[in-house]
Structures are given as C-alpha cells and as structure tokens.
Amino acid sequence: MAALLSSVCGDVKKTAEYISYLEKKNCPLLPPHVNEIELRFAATPSGVRFGLLGVRNIGEGFISALCEERRRNGPYRGLVDFVERMNDKGANKSQIAALIGCGAFDGLGVPRSAMVDGLDGLMQHISDYKRRQADGQMDLFSMLGEKDTASEFRFPETAEYSLGEKLALEKELTGMWTVMFFRLCSEAPERVRK
C-alpha cells in the first residue's frame, strides 16, 4: 500500500482514496516524523508513514539531505539538533516550518506552537553560534568557563495548538483532510472545534 500511495503522491484525490482504503483495512496512516521519514510513503511495523514528498514546501533534494544526515549521524534529538545539523545543508525557514506544521517533530519534547513561535529566534541563534565557532570565539568562552552551545536555546512558552488548529495546518501542508480528521468529526466533533 505504501508503494501505491507513493505512486500517486502528486494526486491529492487518489492519495485521499488510498488513505481511505487504509482506514477500512485498519492500517494506520502515520504522520511524517523526522526520525522515520523517507522520500515516499513507507511501510513500518506500526502502519504506513506519510512520505515527505506529499508535504508542500519541501523538495526532494532537502528530503534526501535530511535522510542522509540522519543515516550518518543518528536520529534527530529535537528541533535545535535538527536546525544545527541541517543549517549547512541548505535548510531554510519555510522547509523547517512545513516540517513543524505537518507534525514531523511531534514527540520530541517541544509543542508545535512553541517551535513555530521560536523558529526565527532559533535560526538566528544557530547562525550566531556557527559564526562564533568559525571565528574561534568558542575557545575564549571555554577558557572563561562559560557555556556556549547551540542547545542552550530556549523556546517560548506558549499554549499548544488545539487539535483543530493542528489539523488545519496539516491540511494546508498536505492538501487534504486526513481520514483521522473525518473520524474525529464523526466521533467527537467538539474536539475538532477546540
């Protein structure tokens, strides 16, 4: 089924049909995740993982670089680690924002709303950190006993998006309502409105 979904990746209507078929067969469609995604839809022990080619604003070259970096240096520990590692590989704000919006960083410790609100600051923090590293300023900080690491960045504390807001973001980025959305509407419509 993952291969069929991958073959119609650009066709939203066909993709939605196949996703509906997955739902009927009780095979979960899993959202993209930076530590499991590939270019196309992929079969996993838990279900079919949504492929990144189905997400807007993310190109094939970026996805390949993301996957290659993960294979070489292990799973991403979070958004800070991701931006630090992908900064020199052409990652830009719209690509990273698309990954956040489609849920690719969910489960890595920071709510989507905080990642979205803190993205500009994080990218500036990483850029400044890399510049200081290149200028040799890191040695001065370490001699003074001060920490200067990219992981020192702190995300703003914001209320997490509601389920409805998350689903709207996902629809904007994938071009479709997922079967999960329709199931939630029929089972508990008040949850979607929140």
Side-chain angles (χ1 to χ4, degrees):
M1 200 62 202
L4 280 173
L5 278 162
S6 293
S7 72
V8 296
C9 201
D11 186 336
V12 173
K13 185 178 177 191
K14 278 281 189 204
T15 302
E17 287 174 20
Y18 287 142
I19 289 172
S20 180
Y21 179 78
L22 276 177
E23 180 69 14
K24 289 175 189 168
K25 294 294 181 185
N26 291 321
C27 180
L29 178 67
L30 307 169
H33 195 281
V34 291
N35 289 326
E36 287 189 22
I37 52 171
E38 295 296 332
L39 201 56
R40 306 191 187 293
F41 289 82
T44 71
S46 308
V48 175
R49 182 70 65 185
F50 199 94
L52 275 186
L53 273 181
V55 179
R56 294 182 177 145
N57 300 329
I58 300 179
E60 195 169 329
F62 173 70
I63 300 166
S64 296
L66 178 161
C67 293
E68 181 59 28
E69 171 61 27
R70 186 184 66 221
R71 276 190 285 279
R72 286 179 186 239
N73 298 305
Y76 298 102
R77 295 183 309 274
L79 185 60
V80 174
D81 181 49
F82 180 86
V83 173
E84 185 177 9
R85 289 165 57 180
M86 294 298 294
N87 189 46
D88 299 333
K89 295 172 180 59
N92 64 45
K93 181 182 172 186
S94 68
Q95 292 166 325
I96 296 169
L99 286 174
I100 294 167
C102 73
F105 291 100
D106 286 1
L108 294 179
V110 179
R112 280 192 214 181
S113 59
M115 287 188 276
V116 168
D117 290 350
L119 184 57
D120 285 332
L122 172 61
M123 293 189 78
Q124 185 62 52
H125 177 81
I126 297 290
S127 178
D128 292 346
Y129 171 76
K130 296 232 177 205
R131 185 182 36 73
R132 286 192 307 273
Q133 237 180 353
D135 290 346
Q137 292 180 16
M138 305 311 283
D139 290 335
L140 176 61
F141 286 115
S142 61
M143 286 189 317
L144 296 173
E146 294 180 24
K147 273 185 169 179
D148 187 26
T149 64
S151 62
E152 292 295 308
F153 181 79
R154 297 290 171 247
F155 287 95
E157 290 187 29
T158 59
E160 178 58 306
Y161 295 138
S162 69
L163 180 60
E165 290 169 318
K166 286 181 182 180
L167 289 168
L169 261 176
E170 290 170 15
K171 176 168 186 327
E172 179 184 330
L173 292 164
T174 63
M176 70 184 87
W177 293 110
T178 63
V179 173
M180 175 69 151
F181 174 79
F182 290 116
R183 188 172 59 217
L184 284 169
C185 285
S186 63
E187 291 173 3
E190 68 282 350
R191 284 188 66 199
V192 177
R193 280 190 233 104
K194 288 181 184 175

